[in-house]
Amino acid sequence: MQTFKGTKIVNGIAIGRIKIYKTPDYVISEELVSDIGAEIERFEAARVKVQEQQNALYEKEMKEGRKDTAGIFEAHAMMLDDEDTLIDPCKEIMAEGHTAEYAVRAAFDNAATEFSEMEDEYFRARSADVIDLKNSMLDVLFGNDTESLQGTEPAILVAEDLAPSETVKLDKSLLLGLVTRLGSSNSHTAILARSMNWPTLIQCHDIADDWDGKFAILDGYNSCIYIEPDQKTIDELSAKQAEDKAREEKLKELKGQPSVTKDGRKVKLYANIGGPKDIQAVIENDAEGVGLFRSEFVYLNSKEDPSEEAQFAAYKQVLEGLSPRMVIIRTCDIGADKTIDYMQLDKEDNPALGFRAVRICLTRPDFFKRQLRALLRASAFGNLGIMFPMIISLWEVKKCKEILEECRKELEAEGAKIGKYEIGIMIETPAAALCADELAEEVDFFSLGTNDLTQYTCAIDRQSANLEPFANTHHPAVLRLIRETIEAGHRHNTWVGICGELGADPTLTEEFLKWGVDELSVNPKSILPLRGNVRNADLSKFKTESPKAVDPKKEPKGFFGRLFS
Ligand code: PEP
Ligand code: MG
């Protein structure tokens, strides 16, 4: 038995075989080959396989009633029959002695550029399809399709690192746990792992290719992985895994119980989700609402810029599925570590300080309006909160609201039904926290994004493993900004929640309640343990007077609905 240490992200035990996951590496050789026929055969085989994959996706989407997305895959399959645009140019390049990979990249990129320069909007949008097909062709040519990436049996996945876009594409039914050499505790991949409750270890520097296929136990409690464990370890940790299951069962007793402290202070316990697939987890864990629906995962899960209809369908499904619970949908927070090919964003030296979230939305109003229209239409099907991320200035909030209002008027003129909704912003930059009084005048609620607030306040890149020793999630500057934001919000009758990872930190629950937080939004699996913490808390022991909550009788500031109505 060998033991290797790492940093745990999620407690828990995973027992099974290891599958080494290799991030696709597209270093394409420029060398000429002598066997042109063999390259053409490889190309043909890849083309047929990708076409089969697209047809299978079409069938799956149709079966699940998503005609819109099914149409995309049907079109993709047809494009791979297009001799003039894609196939012949590839063959011509291979006839010069280039590899199939080289030909695919050159010919598909060329076709994508031609599409992107066309007048007609429909054809311009096909550029993203061609890029997507290029990636699928390269996946197959490099042997990196899902089957070879993840295998076919449930396994502990071991990887160098995983981008959020790769993580969302993993087949969850095949994932027992996750181990990476790199990664940081606050990255979106770590957040996804927490929300899925996968036992996860990052910064395990000793991972090796020869672990592939070996039997192992990932022990989140002791932050290590045992390769080929002895029988004693297997027995001990199997028993611990069974205990975990029993504890989870016991927590279920808290379902339906109010989230209220011993001295009667109520708090809303909401869930963080990434899309309709999480509806069940919200219900199963008895969350009282959704405090953060990271809508960018709808974009990350999509092969092309999702249409208004596709977005409307996703938001409506969540609102309807969780009604009458409140669902706060954050507008697209793409950028930084969440990159998407079809967005064609420039590479930046400092992406976390770069073109992301509302900065993209306010620069690309058509893109933004598609989402806002979908949100407004979905508002008729539940209790919606619309939240804008990465705010630093008052004008950004005013501009977001102005565009939202423009969409509302357009939709009303079209006869669309629009329901009630609240408007809020993320407080995740020191600029926003320090200007909270001014910002509060404009919105119904704040939600503290403590992941980014910590990153920007402490100047600690949340993606960097090297900076972990400097990262202090309880840094007094961050805690002071949280407290002052709650107080500023309440001065203006704006309710304040926390949706960053700190919201689930049991050592801070009493502190947050004492400061008057109105809502905590955490990954679904943390709801019941957190409810246990809240119910064990007693704020009467603090000498200081608890801050006042929002006055329930006061009218919202020109918007619809109230959390405390
Ligand atoms: C945050 O920054 O705390 C947050 C909730 O948003 P995200 O983690 O998606 O950046
Ligand atoms: Mg954030």
Side-chain angles (χ1 to χ4, degrees):
M1 172 171 94
Q2 287 179 297
T3 308
F4 299 101
K5 288 295 244 182
T7 303
K8 70 155 176 243
I9 290 295
V10 183
N11 271 330
I13 310 282
I15 303 177
R17 301 223 164 256
I18 287 183
K19 171 73 191 161
I20 299 282
Y21 175 99
K22 292 266 184 224
T23 295
D25 177 9
Y26 299 140
V27 180
I28 293 174
S29 166
E30 310 251 323
E31 303 253 311
L32 297 184
V33 292
S34 49
D35 194 346
I36 292 171
E39 286 309 298
I40 294 183
E41 261 177 45
R42 285 179 62 233
F43 169 82
E44 267 304 323
R47 183 175 75 90
V48 170
K49 181 147 191 195
V50 173
Q51 220 165 19
E52 281 168 6
Q53 288 171 350
Q54 301 297 319
N55 282 328
L57 287 167
Y58 165 78
E59 298 291 341
K60 178 170 173 279
E61 293 299 290
M62 283 302 277
K63 218 159 98 197
E64 291 170 14
R66 289 186 291 271
K67 279 198 190 146
D68 224 38
T69 33
I72 297 170
F73 299 121
E74 189 182 29
H76 281 183
M78 277 158 53
M79 284 167 97
L80 285 173
D81 279 330
D82 186 338
E83 303 282 338
D84 291 347
T85 316
L86 295 175
I87 310 306
D88 287 349
C90 281
K91 287 188 178 157
E92 278 159 28
I93 296 168
M94 284 184 286
E96 290 165 11
H98 288 288
T99 61
E101 290 85 345
Y102 182 97
V104 165
R105 185 182 60 188
F108 280 53
D109 277 350
N110 187 33
T113 309
E114 278 178 14
F115 275 125
S116 70
E117 287 165 356
M118 287 183 182
E119 285 279 307
D120 186 295
E121 196 186 333
Y122 173 82
F123 284 112
R124 270 206 313 277
R126 301 290 64 79
S127 168
D129 292 304
V130 175
I131 295 288
D132 193 33
L133 281 172
K134 174 187 80 172
N135 291 335
S136 301
M137 287 288 288
L138 291 177
D139 280 345
V140 173
L141 286 166
F142 277 95
N144 283 327
D145 49 335
T146 316
E147 202 173 300
S148 32
L149 285 173
Q150 252 194 292
T152 50
E153 298 295 321
I156 299 171
L157 214 63
V158 173
E160 261 313 287
D161 200 4
L162 277 173
S165 55
E166 290 175 283
T167 316
V168 292
K169 287 185 194 127
L170 293 176
D171 182 341
K172 318 302 179 273
S173 65
L174 295 178
L175 202 74
L176 300 175
L178 196 59
V179 181
T180 63
R181 187 198 304 279
L182 305 173
S184 67
S185 335
N186 239 351
S187 66
H188 281 95
T189 299
I191 291 171
L192 277 168
R194 260 183 229 119
S195 73
M196 300 302 295
N197 213 27
W198 298 320
T200 301
L201 211 57
I202 58 168
Q203 294 163 30
C204 182
H205 302 296
D206 302 302
I207 65 169
D209 281 353
D210 69 1
W211 289 8
D212 201 33
K214 288 190 175 157
F215 183 70
I217 303 187
L218 195 176
D219 178 356
Y221 294 100
N222 289 308
S223 304
C224 64
I225 180 160
Y226 305 101
I227 307 292
E228 299 185 322
D230 53 35
Q231 196 54 45
K232 184 167 165 279
T233 310
I234 297 175
D235 293 345
E236 271 174 24
L237 293 176
S238 302
K240 183 106 184 79
Q241 197 181 39
E243 264 173 45
D244 284 351
K245 284 219 171 77
R247 193 167 339 103
E248 253 181 55
E249 280 302 307
K250 180 100 186 107
L251 274 173
K252 287 187 185 157
E253 289 171 10
L254 289 171
K255 283 193 193 181
Q257 301 288 335
S259 306
V260 59
T261 62
K262 288 195 162 124
D263 56 317
R265 165 85 160 73
K266 271 199 180 140
V267 65
K268 307 258 175 194
L269 295 189
Y270 284 6
N272 293 346
I273 65 166
K277 66 177 184 354
D278 297 326
I279 293 175
Q280 205 44 36
V282 173
I283 295 169
E284 265 169 24
N285 291 286
D286 198 27
E288 295 152 45
V290 167
L292 171 62
F293 173 169
R294 287 182 165 96
S295 73
E296 57 276 9
F297 285 110
V298 172
Y299 294 73
L300 281 166
N301 269 318
S302 172
K303 295 215 159 200
E304 63 171 20
D305 189 359
S307 63
E308 179 184 321
E309 282 313 307
Q311 292 192 58
F312 166 67
Y315 306 149
K316 172 175 176 261
Q317 196 181 342
V318 174
L319 279 157
E320 231 173 11
L322 293 175
S323 179
R325 297 174 187 83
M326 182 175 201
V327 176
I328 297 177
I329 304 183
R330 169 171 83 182
T331 59
C332 185
D333 186 7
I334 283 299
D337 59 326
K338 289 173 284 192
T339 52
I340 305 181
D341 286 348
Y342 62 71
M343 295 284 296
Q344 298 179 344
L345 301 172
D346 292 338
K347 277 241 169 307
E348 294 175 297
D349 287 341
N350 293 304
L353 302 180
F355 196 49
R356 62 175 285 198
V358 283
R359 298 168 185 188
I360 296 177
C361 291
L362 292 176
T363 311
R364 301 183 179 182
D366 289 346
F367 170 83
F368 195 24
K369 281 179 78 174
R370 235 184 341 268
Q371 177 167 41
L372 296 179
R373 283 175 56 96
L375 285 169
L376 288 169
R377 286 172 56 202
S379 68
F381 297 88
N383 185 6
L384 174 68
I386 299 176
M387 175 157 76
F388 302 113
M390 270 299 285
I391 294 294
I392 58 165
S393 299
L394 189 61
W395 73 263
E396 293 165 336
V397 185
K398 289 189 170 166
K399 191 71 194 167
C400 287
K401 283 170 58 185
E402 195 182 298
I403 300 174
L404 183 66
E405 187 56 15
E406 204 177 296
C407 292
R408 192 177 65 79
K409 285 194 180 132
E410 273 173 25
L411 284 165
E412 275 175 357
E414 291 165 25
K417 190 162 177 276
I418 296 172
K420 291 181 175 181
Y421 53 91
E422 290 193 35
I423 295 177
I425 56 172
M426 300 269 310
I427 302 288
E428 52 185 344
T429 62
L434 292 166
C435 294
D437 274 292
E438 291 86 331
L439 296 170
E441 282 294 311
E442 289 292 325
V443 293
D444 290 312
F445 66 89
F446 285 159
S447 190
L448 280 145
T450 54
N451 311 330
D452 277 320
L453 188 60
T454 306
Q455 154 164 269
Y456 297 126
T457 305
C458 299
I460 293 271
D461 179 352
R462 63 193 268 193
Q463 292 297 112
S464 167
N466 295 338
L467 295 178
E468 293 263 315
F470 297 91
N472 170 8
T473 51
H474 293 194
H475 194 290
V478 177
L479 296 181
R480 192 177 303 171
L481 287 175
I482 294 173
R483 180 178 188 154
E484 288 175 3
T485 299
I486 296 172
E487 289 170 359
H490 289 182
R491 277 195 288 278
H492 301 269
N493 207 34
T494 294
W495 64 268
V496 186
I498 297 177
C499 65
E501 296 295 286
L502 225 49
D505 183 335
T507 64
L508 289 172
T509 310
E510 272 203 346
E511 209 73 2
F512 291 152
L513 293 173
K514 191 175 78 175
W515 297 344
V517 77
D518 301 294
E519 172 245 28
L520 293 168
S521 189
V522 299
N523 74 69
K525 286 280 176 193
S526 293
I527 293 279
L528 294 175
L530 192 57
R531 181 169 295 155
N533 288 346
V534 169
R535 291 171 63 81
N536 282 329
D538 184 358
L539 306 184
S540 63
K541 70 183 180 209
F542 298 112
K543 295 204 173 59
T544 49
E545 201 185 313
S546 296
K548 271 205 240 111
V550 175
D551 174 1
K553 290 186 284 305
K554 202 164 160 191
E555 279 300 300
K557 300 169 201 80
F559 308 119
F560 305 100
R562 278 238 65 87
L563 186 70
F564 296 102
S565 57

